[in-house]
Amino acid sequence: MSTTTASTDLDTAPAASRGAAAGDLRRLVVRALRHEVRTPDALIVNIALPAIIMILFVYVFGGAITTGSSGLDYIDFVVPAVLLMAGGYGAALTAVNVAEDMTRGMIDRFRTLPIGGWAVPASHVAASLLRNVLATALALAVAVALGFRPRATPADWAPALALVTGYVLAVSALAVAWGLLVRSSQAAGVFSFVVMFFPYVSDGVVPAETMPGPLRSFAEHQPVTPVVEALRALLLDRPVGDAGWIAAAWLCAGVLAGVPAAAVLFRRRTSA
């Protein structure tokens, strides 16, 4: 009887203790990271794409783009947006990993194991966080090699890291929810294109003040703009202003929307 219960409703499978739950999560995170290593094409794209974008904007388009009232060199202006692209794109691909787990029989295997169901989606979020914060650090190293010189003080680096981590966490949580909502890995991949779109239509690549009316209004009021502005201010030791708390509010909203949605959708997908 107990075997039947565990094999039909993964979400209600209890962990024996907190230590067991932590062990389940750790093993599933390692599994997710190993999966990334075994698919080097996705890993290479995740790391190389932001570097290519940075080189393209700085050396190909940079001479033709002005930074408006900010008065910054273009590389200083665009690097914060590219850092978010680096973390956000990889985090968005989590949707594909989740969708593949749901459609390729992996969840059926998990149902036969005495693990808490919450650990499965949580492991995807945790693995994405580790992987994409590292990808952002690598993108920052590329930026420095290209001439970017951050002027952040020690007190600025902590909130800058918190912003990047919060952005990756919010996108990862929403990606898990999207991966559980759709029914194929192809549909799940749409989320990465949406995430990549927002930094382009923000104050990250070109100043929002140079855009035509409706587009400018969208760029000024969408969630990526305050995150970019706050990160730019922190990295260049400039006043953060209202961008800091607005960015924090958007990121908290993303996490608070993504985590419960993922929990509900996972329960529905795995219930008998």
Side-chain angles (χ1 to χ4, degrees):
M1 181 67 70
S2 60
T3 303
T4 302
T5 302
S7 64
T8 57
D9 193 352
L10 177 62
D11 184 70
T12 59
S17 65
R18 292 184 179 180
D24 291 341
L25 180 60
R26 184 182 66 254
R27 283 185 287 271
L28 289 171
V29 169
V30 171
R31 170 201 167 249
L33 293 174
R34 285 178 175 172
H35 177 75
E36 292 295 325
V37 173
R38 292 170 182 171
T39 54
D41 51 343
L43 188 62
I44 291 171
V45 170
N46 190 16
I47 294 173
L49 184 61
I52 293 171
I53 291 173
M54 197 177 311
I55 293 170
L56 182 66
F57 277 109
V58 172
Y59 289 114
V60 179
F61 301 137
I65 300 176
T66 62
T67 58
S69 59
S70 69
L72 296 171
D73 292 336
Y74 187 66
I75 189 171
D76 293 333
F77 183 87
V78 78
V79 162
V82 177
L83 296 181
L84 294 183
M85 290 181 191
Y89 178 72
L93 289 177
T94 304
V96 176
N97 297 333
V98 172
E100 289 180 346
D101 272 358
M102 301 303 297
T103 58
R104 294 185 177 180
M106 185 57 66
I107 295 301
D108 292 333
R109 293 183 62 186
F110 287 150
R111 285 179 175 178
T112 66
L113 302 174
I115 62 174
W118 65 270
V120 179
S123 68
H124 282 288
V125 174
S128 174
L129 193 61
L130 293 172
R131 183 178 67 249
N132 292 297
V133 170
L134 176 58
T136 304
L138 293 175
L140 179 59
V142 172
V144 171
L146 293 177
F148 178 65
R149 296 293 179 265
R151 297 185 288 276
T153 66
D156 293 330
W157 281 109
L161 178 60
L163 271 179
V164 171
T165 302
Y167 182 73
V168 172
L169 180 61
V171 173
S172 299
L174 293 169
V176 170
W178 178 256
L180 291 167
L181 180 66
V182 299
R183 299 289 174 168
S184 70
S185 56
Q186 290 80 9
V190 172
F191 188 71
S192 62
F193 290 99
V194 174
V195 171
M196 282 294 286
F197 167 78
F198 275 87
Y200 286 106
V201 192
S202 71
D203 195 49
V205 176
V206 297
E209 64 193 44
T210 65
M211 300 178 185
L215 194 59
R216 175 179 178 176
S217 179
F218 174 79
E220 290 176 341
H221 297 93
Q222 59 115 320
V224 173
T225 289
V227 181
V228 169
E229 291 178 345
L231 185 60
R232 183 185 293 134
L234 290 167
L235 291 178
L236 300 177
D237 195 23
R238 295 160 67 97
V240 177
D242 291 340
W245 69 264
I246 296 174
W250 273 114
L251 296 180
C252 289
V255 174
L256 293 176
V259 171
V264 170
L265 289 167
F266 186 79
R267 185 178 302 114
R268 289 180 178 178
R269 290 288 299 271
T270 57
S271 295

